[in-house]
Amino acid sequence: MARHARHARAPSPEVKPSAGRPAPRGAPHVALSAPSRPEPRRVQGPERRWWVLGVIGLAQLMVVLDATIVNIALPSAQRDLGFSDGNRQWIVTSYALVFGSLLLLGGRIADLVGRKIVFLTGLVGFAVASAIGGAAPGFEVLVVARALQGMFGALLAPAALSLLTTTFTVPKERAKAFGIYGAIAGTGGAVGLLLGGVLTEYLNWRWCLYVNLLFALAAFVGGARLLSAGAPAHRPRLDVPGTVLVSSGLFCIVFGFSNAGSHQWSSPHTWGFLAAGGVLVAAFAWWQTRAVHPLLPLRVVLNRNRGASYLAMFIAGGGMFGVFLFLTYYLQKTLLYSPVATGLAFIPMVALMIATSMTTTNVLVPRFGAKPVVPLGMGIAAAAMVWMTSLDLTSGYVTHVLPNLLFLGLGLGMVFATVMNLATYGVAARDAGVASAMVTTSQQVGGSIGTALLNTLATGAATSYLAGRRPTPADIAGAQLHSYSTAYWWSAGYFALGMLVTVVLYRRGAPRPQRVEEPAPVRA
C-alpha cells in the first residue's frame, strides 16, 4: 500500500521538479503538474512530431537550394534582363549579404516572439519575395527581391532548426530527426543544381524563383496545422547594440570576401571591409560579456561540444560550397554535360549522404561520440578532394567522377548531421533560436569565405598556367583543369584543418544527457 501511494504521488515523466530534486513527500500532485514554461516542448504525439519534421525539412530545403538554384538560372536571366557581367554577382551576393548578416537577429527574434509565428512569417515573406523576383522586369527589382529573400530566410532558417530542437527531445527520436535534417542541409545545394537545371531547360529561369511558392505554400499549411503556438513567458529585452555590431560586422566580412572576385585583395574594397568586419565582430564579442540581455549568450558558445560544432560547420561549409561550384564547372564546361545531366550526376552523392547521416546519428554517435566520427568524416572528405585532382579531359563519370562523389558523400554525411545535432544539444529552450542561428551563420559565412578564396586561387592558377602560352583551345582547357585542381587541393586543406580542430575540441565519449536550464517554474 505504501509503495502504491508513493507511485501515485510521483510526478509525470513530462514534468521535472524545478531544482532537479525529488518532490517533497507531502507535496500535492497539482503543484508538480502545472509548471510554467516558456514554450511547450512536447505537445505533439509521436506521429504528429514526424509530420512536423516534414514541414521543417521542406522549409529548410527551400532556403538551402535557393543558394544554388539561382546560379543555374543566371545565364538565362542575364540574357533576358540585359545586365552586365560585372553586375551579375549581385544576384547572388545580395542574398548572401542580407541572409548572413541577419541570422543571429532572426534567431533571437524567434526566441523572443515565438517560433511558430516567426516560422510562418518567414515562409510568407520568402514566398512574396520569390514572386517579386520571378516577375522582375529589370535588374534592380531582381536584386531587391533577392535581398528580401535573404531577410526572410534569416527569420525562417533559425526558427526551423529551433523548432526541431524543441520538438524532438527523446534521444533516439532526436538522432533520427537530425539525421534527416542534416542530410537536407548538406545536400540541398545539389538538389538546387538539379531542380534549377530542369526548370531552366524545360520552362525558363523565372520558375527557379516561382517554385518557392509551392514549397512555401505546403510548409505554411502544414506549419499552421501542426506547430504549437506557444510563446515565451520570459521575454528579455533585445540587445540592440549587440545586434548592430554583429549584423554590421558579418555584413562587412561577407561583402569583403564577395568583392575579392572583382577586386584585388590589396583593394580597400576587399581588405578595408574585412578589417572593419573583424573589428566589429571583436567588439560584439566584448559587448556580450557585459550586456544584461546579450544577443548571443556566452553559455551557448562556450560549451565545448557546441563550440566545436560551430567551427566544424564553418570549415565544412567553406569546403563544400567550393566543391559544388568547381565540380559543376568541370561537368558542364569540360565534359559538356547539360544542366539537367549535371544535377543528376550529384544524386548518388545525395543518396549516400542521407544514408550515412541516418547511420551516424542513430548508431555511431550514441555509441562512440562525436570525437571519432566528425574527424573521420573530415578526413574522408579531404581524401575525396585529393582524389578529385586526378580528373582530366578524358575522365568518365562512372569510372572517375562517381567514385569521388560517393567518397565525398560518405564523409559529409558523417559531419553535417552530427554537427547540427550537437550544436543545439542541451541548450535551453529560451536560447534555441540563437543557438540554431549560430549553426546557419557558421555555414553561410564559411561558405562565402570559402567560395571567394577558392575562386580567387583558381583564377590565379589559370592565369599563371596561360602565362607565356598561346591561348589555344587545348591550353585554355588545360588552364581550366589546373584551376579546378588547385581549388580541390585547397578544399582538401580546409577539411584537413577541420579534422585537426574537431579532434582537439570535441569531448570523448557519447553525449551525456544534460539538464536543460529553464526559467524557474511558478509553484501552485
Side-chain angles (χ1 to χ4, degrees):
M1 178 73 72
R3 186 183 304 111
H4 178 74
R6 282 196 297 271
H7 284 303
R9 289 193 299 266
S12 79
E14 297 293 327
V15 180
K16 297 180 181 179
S18 61
R21 296 187 300 268
R25 186 175 296 272
H29 180 72
V30 66
L32 292 172
S33 61
S36 174
R37 292 191 175 189
E39 191 167 333
R41 302 189 62 183
R42 293 187 64 190
V43 297
Q44 296 92 5
E47 296 81 8
R48 294 190 66 182
R49 282 201 293 276
W50 295 108
W51 283 106
V52 168
L53 173 62
V55 170
I56 294 171
L58 189 63
Q60 176 67 12
L61 178 63
M62 180 182 69
V63 173
V64 174
L65 67 82
D66 201 73
T68 55
I69 193 173
V70 175
N71 292 347
I72 296 292
L74 265 182
S76 299
Q78 186 175 2
R79 288 193 300 269
D80 191 8
L81 301 182
F83 51 85
S84 65
D85 289 344
N87 288 331
R88 180 176 55 191
Q89 67 163 332
W90 288 105
I91 306 300
V92 177
T93 303
S94 58
Y95 177 86
L97 283 174
V98 179
F99 184 62
S101 59
L102 295 182
L103 273 167
L104 284 177
L105 175 60
R108 205 50 170 166
I109 290 175
D111 290 332
L112 300 180
V113 176
R115 296 176 186 94
K116 178 178 179 177
I117 188 171
V118 172
F119 179 81
L120 297 179
T121 301
L123 282 172
V124 172
F126 202 94
V128 171
S130 300
I132 294 173
F139 170 75
E140 293 79 8
V141 175
L142 183 56
V143 170
V144 171
R146 290 288 288 162
L148 288 174
Q149 279 186 311
M151 181 178 72
F152 286 104
L155 289 175
L156 181 58
L161 183 54
S162 59
L163 281 168
L164 189 69
T165 300
T166 54
T167 299
F168 290 90
T169 57
V170 177
K172 289 185 178 180
E173 290 185 352
R174 179 183 173 91
K176 294 178 182 178
F178 272 88
I180 297 171
Y181 187 88
I184 292 173
T187 60
V191 175
L193 294 174
L194 172 61
L195 186 58
V198 171
L199 293 175
T200 303
E201 189 165 331
Y202 294 108
L203 294 173
N204 61 56
W205 68 270
R206 297 182 184 274
W207 278 95
C208 291
L209 293 165
Y210 287 145
V211 72
N212 290 329
L213 300 177
L214 303 178
F215 285 109
L217 177 62
F220 184 89
V221 172
R225 292 176 59 87
L226 295 171
L227 298 177
S228 60
H234 301 269
R235 298 187 180 185
R237 295 180 180 179
L238 182 64
D239 178 15
V240 177
T243 300
V244 172
L245 286 171
V246 74
S247 298
S248 303
L250 292 175
F251 180 92
C252 289
I253 290 173
V254 175
F255 187 74
F257 277 103
S258 298
N259 277 339
S262 55
H263 298 79
Q264 297 291 329
W265 286 97
S266 58
S267 170
H269 290 87
T270 301
W271 68 262
F273 278 99
L274 293 177
V279 171
L280 289 170
V281 170
F284 167 74
W286 170 83
W287 173 251
Q288 296 308 282
T289 64
R290 286 157 175 77
V292 178
H293 303 292
L295 178 68
L296 180 61
L298 294 182
R299 60 180 174 268
V300 173
V301 295
L302 292 184
N303 178 278
R304 186 168 167 179
N305 277 346
R306 283 200 291 268
S309 297
Y310 297 141
L311 285 174
M313 182 60 75
F314 175 84
I315 295 169
M320 181 191 68
F321 281 115
V323 170
F324 284 153
L325 176 65
F326 292 101
L327 194 56
T328 299
Y329 280 140
Y330 171 76
L331 292 174
Q332 291 194 13
K333 291 191 173 184
T334 303
L335 300 187
L336 303 179
Y337 281 24
S338 68
V340 174
T342 300
L344 289 173
F346 284 97
I347 294 301
M349 185 195 78
V350 173
L352 182 59
M353 190 171 176
I354 293 174
T356 305
S357 296
M358 295 295 295
T359 303
T360 298
T361 54
N362 286 282
V363 179
L364 299 181
V365 174
R367 180 174 299 179
F368 304 108
K371 194 175 186 71
V373 173
V374 176
L376 179 60
M378 291 281 191
I380 292 174
M385 290 295 95
V386 174
W387 196 359
M388 281 188 186
T389 61
S390 64
L391 297 177
D392 56 29
L393 296 174
T394 61
S395 296
Y397 176 75
V398 175
T399 55
H400 299 90
V401 178
L402 181 59
N404 284 280
L405 286 175
L406 293 177
F407 211 50
L408 181 63
L410 177 64
L412 293 180
M414 298 177 72
V415 173
F416 276 100
T418 306
V419 164
M420 287 191 168
N421 191 347
L422 293 185
T424 56
Y425 184 75
V427 73
R430 64 180 181 271
D431 295 328
V434 73
S436 303
M438 267 299 295
V439 181
T440 312
T441 301
S442 299
Q443 184 180 15
Q444 179 67 29
V445 175
S448 299
I449 293 174
T451 301
L453 285 175
L454 293 175
N455 190 53
T456 302
L457 293 166
T459 302
T463 302
S464 299
Y465 184 90
L466 289 175
R469 300 171 184 257
R470 292 182 179 181
T472 62
D475 285 335
I476 293 175
Q480 288 180 341
L481 282 177
H482 182 62
S483 69
Y484 304 154
S485 179
T486 300
Y488 299 150
W489 276 113
W490 280 92
S491 291
Y494 256 85
F495 288 117
L497 176 63
M499 180 175 65
L500 178 62
V501 168
T502 52
V503 162
V504 173
L505 292 184
Y506 271 121
R507 294 184 180 274
R508 293 182 180 274
R512 292 173 295 179
Q514 299 183 18
R515 181 181 301 159
V516 177
E517 298 178 7
E518 300 287 356
V522 178
R523 296 181 180 275

